[in-house]
Amino acid sequence: MAEAILQVRNLKKYFKTNSGMLHAVDDISFDVREGKTLGIVGESGCGKSTAGRTILRLLEHTSGQVIFDGVDITKLSGNKLRKVRKDMQIIFQDPFSSLDPKKTISQTISEPIRVNRILTDKKQVEERVLELMKTVGLAERLINSYPHELDGGRRQRIGIARALAVLPKLIVCDEPVSALDVSIQAQILNLLKELQNKMNLTYIFITHDLSVVNHFSDDIAVMYLGSIVEKAPAEELFNNPLHPYTRALLSAIPVPDLRHKRERISLKGEVVSPINLPDECRFANRCFECEARCRRGIPPLLEVSPDHFVACVHHTPPEAAGRAAGEALA
Amino acid sequence: MTKVRTVLAILLCMSIMLGVLGCSPSSTNETDVPTDAQPTDAEVEQEEEQATDDADAEVESETPDASGEYKDRIIIGVANDITTLDPQGSNTDANMMAFTLTHETLVEVDPETNEIIPGMAKEWTMSDDGLEFTFAIPENVAFSDGTPCTANDIKFTFDRAKDSSFTKAKVELVTEVEVIDDTHAKVVISKPSQDFLMLLAHQSMSILSEDLVNDDEFGYQIGTGPYAVEEWTPGDQISFVKSEHFYGEEPPTQKIVFRLIKEESSRLIALQTGEIEVCIDPLTTDLTYIEEDEDLELVKIPNFVMLYLAINNEREGLDDVNVRKAIAHATDKASMIEIGYNGEGFVHDHWINRDQFGWYDDLQPYEYDIEKAKEALANSAYEPGDLSFRVIYNDTAKENMALILKEDLAKIGIELELIKLETAALKGILNDAALDYDFCLYQFTDNLGTDYTLRNQYGSFEQDGKLVKNGSNRANMKDAEFNRMIDEALVELDVEKREAMYNDIEVYLNEIVPIIPIATSYINVGIKEGLGGVRWNGTAKHDYRYVFLEQ
Amino acid sequence: MEKDLKKMPTPAASSTESASLSTTQARLVSKTFKKRSTWASVWRQLRKNKGAIAGLVLLIIIIGVALAAPIIFDYNTDIIQNNIRERRQPPSADHWFGTDEMGRDIFARVCYGARYSLAVGVVAVLFALVFGVTFGAAAGYIGGAFENIMMRLCDILSSIPSVLMAIAVVSALGKSTLNLMIAVGVASTAPFIRVARAAVLTVRNEEYIEAARAIAVPEWKIVVTHILPNSLSPIIVQATLRVGSAIISAAQLSFLGLGVPAPAPEWGSMLSAGRIFIRDHSYMTLFPGLAIMVTVLSLNLIGDGLRDALDPRLKS
Amino acid sequence: MGDHTAKLILDVKNLVVRYETEDGIVHAINGIDLQLGYRETLGLVGETGAGKTTAALAMLRLVPDPPGVVECERLTIDGRDILNMPSAKMDDVRGKDISMVFQDPMTALNPVFTVGEQIAESLQIHEHLDKRDAMKRAREMLELVGIPGSRAGDYPHEFSGGMKQRVVIAIALACNPKLLIADEPTTALDVTIQAQVLELMTTLKEKYDTSMIMITHDLGIVAEVCDVVAVMYAGHIVEQGTLEDVFNRTKHPYTEGLFNSLPNIYNRTAMLKPIKGLMSDPTDPPPGCPFEPRCEYALAECKTRNPDLVPAGPTHKVACLAYEQEGFHIKRRI
Amino acid sequence: MSRYIVERLLMLIPVLLSVAFIIFAIMNAAEGDPVYSVVSADATQEQIEAARIELGLDGTLIQRYFRYVGGMIKGDLGTSYVSKRDVMQTYMMRLPNTLKLAAASMVVALVISIPLGIIAAVNQNSIRDAVSMVLALLGLSMPNFWLGLLLILLFSLRLGWFPSAGYEDGLRSIILPAITNGTGLAAFMTRATRSSMLDVVRQDFLRTARAKGVTERKVIRKHALRNALIPIITVFGVQFSNVLGGSVLVETVFAWPGVGRLVVDAIEQRDIPTVTGALVMTTMLVTITNLLIDIVYAYVDPRIKSQYAKKGFKLWKRT
């Protein structure tokens, strides 16, 4: 088992809003193994993007630790932080808003090189830009094009090239393909996979698309309303989903295959806003297996089988349940 | 392309419309609109004479025809707002016109003869030493709210006048006001003054009611005149209605309104469209419209205003009398009048106002002559190109005049910078102790007697062993000899001697050129045909008490 | 260098774009493929707008006249020298636009006046632009209490009618061309603060700003290289439109006698001086009036055209 | 064939739509034929820019003109000729005989009217109900789509995305249309909500005997709700047939590419095989088969000749020249 | 909502205090001591000092400011240096005229701009669009005092249809000033209407409406216009605020005794209490107008209404 390059411990990110505290990320912990992909999956508003940005310190965290390469980066500032930033990059969801419309491809890709003084010579920078463009599969003739002249797939490639320019170790991919058409989506997914293999990159792959995350990730964490409700290796999660939410989610995926007719679990209601939540299981309101004990405190994320973690009272080992309930009561 | 064409077409239409509106002469009077609007010099002169005659004719007060029907309400379009209803609180012409309606002064000045005539006081006596005046007022004088007016109120008025900056100078000589009985008051002055009664005729010396002023914040607005203020909307209009308590002859018009229309063109148009009956100060360029309009009449009154170039006599360069003479010779007064007043005025070369006592006919004026100006400058300590000055002023007419002066001075090698200021700012600079100005185009209006004029304009007084200029002495002239001359003339009881003394003073001033007198203009008034009863006044303080308009 | 650059993989088979140039040729690549600036695309949009083109042509003519005026006319003899004998002449072959009350040629003065009116308009707007954009952008970027204070200030400024504000400022500073510019500028600062702030707020939350932060671009550089260039469009539109209204404001102040001091041939002052002759000598106001109108119209046409060209709504 | 028409709710013959813009002519739809029987659900599948939405708008005669130009040989709905109908009459058909559910529920509702009013408006127009009756029916419609009728007085912003889409469906179904066109009705929704909405639509469709065109890019959705499928590419229908035909007997290389681009949740290690390249510029379509530049089976002829949609089975049609070769088949493993 | 209103009104206090201060500071910096507008031209130094104290012009700017504010809190805006009248009373005399002119101008502007804007937007890039916009722009490009003079020449003098000055002739007096003022304002509002309508005509919900069978005419009038109103109302509010105090030139040309003229005259005379008082009142009116506009929003757009209800008061709107 590869070493954990990133350890997230009890990370919280709250936003102040007019109607109260918004618990965007509420006490999540996980490890990401070097050279592997952790998929974070969840519906809109579950806090998965916020989590990604908080890990990169694009947002300031409320509490918790983010240990990258053995260093708690939440405590860094100034030059040290800038150095760490080079090792951690992000690829955004919307290829339209993630590129500065006033900058050419060359300017966009060379910016990280110039800013971080990786290369200073003009010619070297240009060569490097061309190299990166080749790496992500962009034709050289596009070097002076503007984003608006390009389609979504190409733009996403620029975003990837920009992230690669600083030679990062970890890349947070925030829904990198959800804005793309199916055929382009596959191109980008393949590209990312290939880059991972060649450069030993570590990914945190954030998405709402379960089939994509299944295809792409080694481990998967399912988020619901700011918390991780289940986390397991991909294979395990899809074959043996434990949390009711995970099960419902999996059953809801429309599968383009006429041979597998599945039982659908229909969830009632919709996700509520994560503001001033009661101290109970986040999923209790919509859960088809909800019992009275679900309303007694937030169930902790516990390891129920090797590497399979779940936060549900129905799958809590008895001793752990007692502990959790005790904590809640105390 | 279509869009471009649309734009152009619209622009074209607009310009045609404007052209039609503006360029073409009024369709009713096509025949006699001159396309060449340039009068020759001869024409200008002729116009001047004509105008003077007109004015003389107008000034004769018409009396209303008892049998006629009169318009109830007469609206007078004025250019300047009434700023206060306290007679002692200001000295603007606009305000004075109002006080003429609502208040009375002890004596008045006949605008035609410039002589003192009875006001509220129907008779008065002067002691032989010229220090005591006793005024008698009728028994039935009453303020417009019904309060009777007594000699007490006269005393009160004089006492109050001492506290106001506007009236203080007028009662400076007064040492005591004694109430003899209800209808008689005696005023004692410290030294004889031939002009004292003139000062009392000024509207700011209107008699106020002691009780009313003390009782009510706005008590001063009630006077003993034939009209009372009905409603005042500052910045808009003020209306007057006949006072029930007026003791004198009943005025023919029920209601008089002063309506403020600042924009000159609008004011005249309002007269033409019948919105107002009197239009004060139409634009000189618009006078033809009045003359051409059968329903209107143009009244021209020679003004008592003297426009002059104030010279700060203590400024480096300007303290040299030859420089001042050079400037005087370089001043093209005729062109200035032509430009600034559109020719509606005449050259003024004297040191006192037109028709004032002591006017010296044989005074040798400084004619416009660039060569002589150069000569004068050559006599001075300065060379052409050495001097540069700044002139301050506050309106467009003066600006245009300053432009002419700038050109002429440039010809003799003096540079002039023009600075237009707002009135308040201009006054601020003139009145500031620092006296930070070289030239100022300014004017003074008064007919309160020759002494008042000379003393104010050129006089100074001694304080702590030094001479300090009087308030309006814009020349900053401090001349002990001149002070002595006017002091002597003031107390001289012999009329002829006194006149000769004033003539000498004119000659004296002509020699030292403290300022450069430039022009006297006309006061123009457009009125509805048939309007009469107004005593037009050369100081622009017209007397509308008996105005009427036949129906 | 913490990492070896050679670790970077060579072009992969999955590359979807054909890589036709060898690395030796690469040095020239960025020059081979000329970049077309975004302004070029704006220009392409603008070119379709006939109104804007008409405005542009007019404005170029006006600017040309303004530039040529001092070459053609001598300020001292042609523009400000009085010629009383020839005053108030209607348009003729000698005086195309006639002469004014000082006998000066109105055509020459209108031509020369373009310098003043344009200068007043442009400088006033530059003033407003510099202050407005600085404070507005800072407010939008910094946020918090600073933004709050700026916006309150902005509310206060804009609750005083701009003409009155300008008049008050001119009174305070005294009459001069520069002060007129400042007064008009002060009175039109608030809209720039608003526009700049709004633009920055929009841009600030774009993902590419986050991306820049992620690649460790210093904050000040983010503001200068990413936020400002992308906030410019609405500011430019606003500026173009404001130059027009600044010219009108200046003319209004001139009408009230607070404008450019005489004898400078500013259009507003000419209009103001000529207005008393409007009944018989309307050409005195007609031409300066038309000059103002055409200039303001052309600026507005361009402004509207730019707005349409820069407005993403109207694309596609 | 003529008799056949009577059994069709929708019959479109040779529909062409182009947008004449200043940047050039966008060839959005290049001659498609569509036929739909009563109570059938047609899945119209394709990627962005394939012309799916334009086709739907053309059927409602809502293609904006200018710049849109619509040409068609035949367009009938429920046997009525829509093509030559005067526009005033067309207003009676829209919302009554044929209605549409749009992609983004966030923007499809007018923010300043209550949802009740918006449902009622349709009823007032077509059923000529007075306001009160219309509101009553509107509340019933809301109940029907699973929203309490008491919320009829609420404004759209007070609803969540899924609820809004239910409201849009209620509007579309208010007058009991014969044909419902749903344009990507669930794309903007989360997966669990998507499931709810799809379920609702199928239930209501059954209940009201409505025919439906489901426009989507998601083959998973097609598999769940459609009876017949038409795959669109660059303004052409490239493959058409029953669900079984298209999914299990895939013929067209593009359809194959779509399937191969999708991650398979039952086989997570399977490599994705994307279609290379991009869809061609709609202002400058290739002269031959539109898919030729991206097609791995392309023949020389494909560059010049545009294939017709030809039968490839009793219910199955495909537009691919490769099938003119004997024994050609695509590689897709089923 | 009522909480929102109360809090907005409370915010008026610091705003008014700041406005008073700004005006105080500007007027203090102005050339020309206000005392000279009060004393006679030949006043002596002592008289001037006496007048200074009488007018309350002694002490530092800050002292004077606090003195003024002390009165302001009690509703006393001071006494004019020049007319010695209560400023509030003077202002109130002018206000009805200003309101009348503002209202009439806005009516003119609305009548011109809404149809023009809609025509322009619905027929974007067509001839009708171009003509509408050029018409609107012409109104904007013409200095309004010039237009006023031309209108007087034509309609008062030549045709005699309307009076040239004053306000006593009821509707007839207000027509020319309102047209002069209104045409300038119309340009802004036509622009706003057009761009706002352009925004709305692209919205999906219009497609929904059309798909329901709503006629095109009703789509524009009912569905589009109501949504387009918000930005139009904003511009309306701004313009209305502006004419509340700023139509000085029209007031001058038509001798319309409004607030703008009052302020300008007072500035000329350095009549600080009148300037400050009138501007403080104007600011208050403008703020209240803005508040009313905000309340109108709530009625036009339910989203905003619920925002008010939810958030109560927020110092500034972030969008």
Side-chain angles (χ1 to χ4, degrees), chain A residues 43-44 187 217 267 270, chain D residues 160 190 192 196 224 268 275:
Chain A
E43 292 178 290
S44 50
Q187 292 172 2
S217 316
L267 286 180
E270 300 190 13
Chain D
S160 66
D190 271 321
T192 53
Q196 294 172 358
E224 270 172 37
R268 57 180 294 271
I275 308 166

Side-chain angles (χ1 to χ4, degrees), chain C residues 147-148 152 156 159 164 168 171-172 174 197 201 204 241 248 252 255 279 293 297 300 304 308 313-314, chain E residues 11 18-19 26 29-30 124 140-142 145 157 191 194 199 202 245 249 267 283 315-318:
Chain C
E147 179 183 25
N148 202 350
R152 294 283 92 194
I156 291 165
S159 65
L164 298 184
S171 312
R197 171 178 162 274
L201 275 185
R204 176 176 100 144
L241 296 175
I248 297 254
Q252 289 182 334
F255 183 84
R279 292 171 77 171
M293 206 170 98
L297 185 67
N300 275 300
D304 282 354
D308 286 0
R313 272 199 323 249
L314 303 168
Chain E
M11 268 314 285
S18 321
V19 167
I26 290 180
Q124 198 201 346
L140 177 75
S141 309
M142 246 178 142
F145 49 92
L157 203 62
R191 233 190 229 153
R194 174 177 181 262
D199 242 351
R202 280 167 177 69
L249 290 126
I267 289 175
T283 309
L315 279 182
W316 72 102
K317 275 181 256 163
R318 276 207 86 137

Side-chain angles (χ1 to χ4, degrees), chain A residues 26 76 122 131 142 158 181 306 311 317 319:
Chain A
D26 206 356
L76 297 182
K122 253 194 175 167
E131 202 181 319
L142 299 175
I158 302 171
D181 270 323
E319 73 281 11

Side-chain angles (χ1 to χ4, degrees), chain B residues 224-260:
Chain B
T224 61
Y227 287 89
V229 174
E230 185 190 44
E231 195 187 358
W232 179 32
T233 320
D236 174 22
Q237 62 176 24
I238 181 164
S239 57
F240 305 92
V241 285
K242 261 197 253 184
S243 161
E244 293 166 26
H245 301 279
F246 184 56
Y247 64 96
E249 186 191 339
E250 195 189 334
T253 302
Q254 184 59 35
K255 189 168 172 179
I256 296 174
V257 179
F258 289 0
R259 178 177 294 169
L260 179 69

Side-chain angles (χ1 to χ4, degrees), chain A residues 253-259, chain D residues 218-221 223 247 259 262-263 332:
Chain A
I253 308 173
V255 180
D257 193 332
L258 302 178
R259 287 162 304 175
Chain D
D218 190 337
L219 290 166
I221 292 173
F247 276 63
F259 279 113
L262 291 173
R332 183 178 181 225

Side-chain angles (χ1 to χ4, degrees), chain A residues 49-68:
Chain A
S49 285
T50 309
R53 283 164 164 76
T54 311
I55 289 165
L56 293 182
R57 282 198 64 186
L58 290 174
L59 292 173
E60 284 307 315
H61 72 308
T62 307
S63 71
Q65 288 177 305
V66 178
I67 299 156
F68 178 73

Side-chain angles (χ1 to χ4, degrees), chain B residues 169-188:
Chain B
K170 290 163 190 130
V171 291
E172 223 158 18
L173 294 176
V174 177
T175 50
E176 198 197 343
V177 180
E178 195 184 315
V179 179
I180 297 170
D181 58 34
D182 273 1
T183 55
H184 289 83
K186 184 162 81 184
V187 178
V188 185

